[in-house]
Amino acid sequence: QVQLVQSGAEVKEPGASVKVSCKASGYTFTDYYIHWVRQAPGQGLEWMGWINPNSGGTTYAQKFQGRVTLTRDTSISTAYVELTSLRSDDTAVYYCAGADWAGKKDFDYWGQGTLVTVSS
Amino acid sequence: DIQMTQSPSSLSASVGDRVTITCRASQGIRSDLGWYQQKPGKAPERLIYAASSLQSGVPSRFSGSGSGTEFTLTISSLQPEDFATFYCLQYSTYPRTFGQGTKVEIK
């Protein structure tokens, strides 16, 4: 069965960086984009960007340009999001989703989420 | 950025009720829209893609319609497990944007 398993919760100080991983299994990792979405406590969903695991190509939401980097390691079917210069309002649950959003395939699977807390 | 506005923001309904949630886009997005259900402490799960296509494994009481700027999610007969928050997502342009959510609560 398709699974995306994310790394564990993180606590970081303001100004630090965090890197969250997302390991995919049960399908061909390079067949579908990996999207990253975050959700602040009690708030809605916010799209951060995607990576094409096949080519490594990325697209980022303008809001995160310069602070976020999406990468992948195809040898271990794992995608990563790194966010730098953390602020308190970056406190959120970060989700990865292996999905076909632009096409017509009903492939859409999410990781369990990783809580990142930014606090001094 | 395309703004996605859901209505209502919350509603109370009883088991067996027919429920309709609306999502309006600030500009046309063809049929590039999905609907998601999120339960507390869980990741979102997609119900509908391409505005009206039912995700595999999702009960047929869920349906979606619309194109352009106005879309609806309908639950034909609300079940106890359907109480959750629902989000629409547009994937027509960048950045991808979600609606603010509609919380469906038990009356």
Side-chain angles (χ1 to χ4, degrees):
Chain A
Q1 74 283 21
V2 174
Q3 279 192 304
L4 284 84
V5 179
Q6 299 182 221
S7 49
E10 303 264 11
V11 179
K12 297 291 183 180
E13 293 192 345
S17 299
V18 69
K19 191 171 185 177
V20 175
S21 68
C22 169
K23 182 171 177 60
S25 61
Y27 73 101
T28 302
F29 179 62
T30 51
D31 279 355
Y32 298 98
Y33 287 11
I34 297 287
H35 297 263
W36 289 90
V37 174
R38 75 178 187 179
Q39 185 171 40
Q43 302 301 308
L45 301 166
E46 181 175 36
W47 179 78
M48 300 177 69
W50 58 247
I51 184 166
N52 178 342
N54 189 39
S55 66
T58 55
T59 294
Y60 301 119
Q62 180 112 14
K63 172 178 179 176
F64 299 102
Q65 287 272 5
R67 279 210 306 142
V68 69
T69 304
L70 303 184
T71 56
R72 93 293 189 215
D73 183 340
T74 57
S75 69
I76 55 172
S77 298
T78 299
Y80 304 90
V81 58
E82 183 172 24
L83 190 61
T84 61
S85 302
L86 289 168
R87 308 184 288 252
S88 58
D89 62 358
D90 291 317
T91 294
V93 175
Y94 289 74
Y95 293 102
C96 63
D100 179 13
W101 285 358
K104 302 297 182 185
K105 298 179 183 178
D106 70 341
F107 190 90
D108 188 288
Y109 293 88
W110 292 53
Q112 83 276 18
T114 297
L115 175 61
V116 175
T117 302
V118 183
S119 173
S120 54
Chain B
D1 297 2
I2 294 179
Q3 305 303 316
M4 305 299 293
T5 303
Q6 288 183 231
S7 59
S9 296
S10 64
L11 65 90
S12 295
S14 301
V15 172
D17 284 353
R18 182 181 183 88
V19 170
T20 298
I21 299 169
T22 297
C23 185
R24 289 188 173 86
S26 59
Q27 61 191 74
I29 58 169
R30 301 170 300 199
S31 297
D32 297 337
L33 182 117
W35 287 98
Y36 289 79
Q37 177 188 49
Q38 187 180 32
K39 296 179 180 178
K42 299 294 187 182
E45 294 185 355
R46 191 164 72 175
L47 305 171
I48 301 289
Y49 65 101
S52 60
S53 296
L54 191 66
Q55 186 77 18
S56 59
V58 173
S60 59
R61 63 181 179 272
F62 293 95
S63 64
S65 65
S67 67
T69 61
E70 188 152 336
F71 302 85
T72 59
L73 172 71
T74 300
I75 309 172
S76 60
S77 177
L78 198 64
Q79 297 302 300
E81 61 268 30
D82 299 339
F83 293 94
T85 300
F86 295 83
Y87 295 93
C88 60
L89 163 70
Q90 71 80 19
Y91 46 82
S92 177
T93 64
Y94 292 108
R96 307 314 196 201
T97 46
F98 290 87
Q100 82 278 13
T102 296
K103 187 172 184 178
V104 176
E105 298 175 303
I106 303 172
K107 182 182 284 185

